[in-house]
Amino acid sequence: MSHLSDAQLHQLRKKLDEREAELQSQVRGAREAAADQASGQAGVVGDQGDNATDRLQHGIRHVEMSRDIEELVEIEAARRRMDDGSYGQCVDCHQPIEARRLLAHPTALRCALCQGRYEQMHPSRLRDPG
C-alpha cells in the first residue's frame, strides 16, 4: 500500500494529467510543423548552408519529440503504478520515495539515493538522431 495520502495521490495524478496534455500538444505541434515545412519546401533548391540548417533543425525537432514521447510513456507507467498500488515505492531498494521528490518528478522510479547510484552506473550519453 502506498505511503501517500489520497490527497497527495490526487495532486500527483493531476500533475501527470496536466503534463500529459502539455506534451501531447507539443508532439502534435511538432508533427504539424514538420509536415508544413516539408510541403512548403517542395521544389525549393537551397545552398549547402540552407541544407545544413534544415538538417540541424530537423534533428533538434526529432530529439525533442523523442524526449516528449518517452516522457508520455513514463507518465502512463506512473499511472499503472498508481492503479496497482506500487506508486511511490523505489524499484531498487523498495523503500518509499519521498513525497516532495514525487511532487517535483511525478514519474520517479527511484528514491533520491538510488537514483544517484543509478546515474553513476548509467551515465547519459548524447544521441545523434541522424
Side-chain angles (χ1 to χ4, degrees):
M1 192 64 183
S2 178
H3 65 287
L4 301 165
S5 70
D6 288 342
Q8 287 171 318
L9 284 170
H10 178 74
Q11 182 182 14
L12 288 160
R13 198 175 288 273
K14 183 178 176 187
K15 285 179 74 104
L16 290 170
D17 292 344
E18 290 168 355
R19 183 64 179 149
E20 178 185 40
E22 181 182 336
L23 289 167
Q24 287 178 342
S25 175
Q26 289 174 4
V27 168
R28 194 170 31 256
R31 286 182 176 153
E32 290 169 1
D36 289 347
Q37 183 179 11
S39 67
Q41 290 185 347
V44 175
V45 178
D47 62 15
Q48 288 181 338
D50 291 338
N51 291 336
T53 300
D54 288 344
R55 281 194 310 273
L56 177 63
Q57 289 174 345
H58 173 74
I60 291 169
R61 279 194 310 272
H62 174 78
V63 169
E64 288 174 341
M65 192 176 345
S66 295
R67 179 199 61 216
D68 291 347
I69 291 169
E70 187 175 312
E71 190 175 347
L72 285 166
V73 169
E74 291 171 1
I75 288 170
E76 184 57 35
R79 283 198 183 105
R80 281 194 305 274
R81 291 192 305 277
M82 284 179 169
D83 292 342
D84 72 18
S86 64
Y87 182 79
Q89 181 181 19
C90 178
V91 297
D92 292 342
C93 71
H94 307 289
Q95 295 300 309
I97 300 171
E98 288 187 33
R100 69 179 196 196
R101 174 163 167 69
L102 291 169
L103 286 169
H105 186 56
T107 59
L109 290 170
R110 295 173 181 82
C111 66
L113 184 63
C114 289
Q115 185 64 37
R117 287 184 195 135
Y118 180 85
E119 289 174 5
Q120 286 179 339
M121 295 187 68
H122 302 91
S124 62
R125 295 185 184 116
L126 295 177
R127 295 179 290 185
D128 182 2

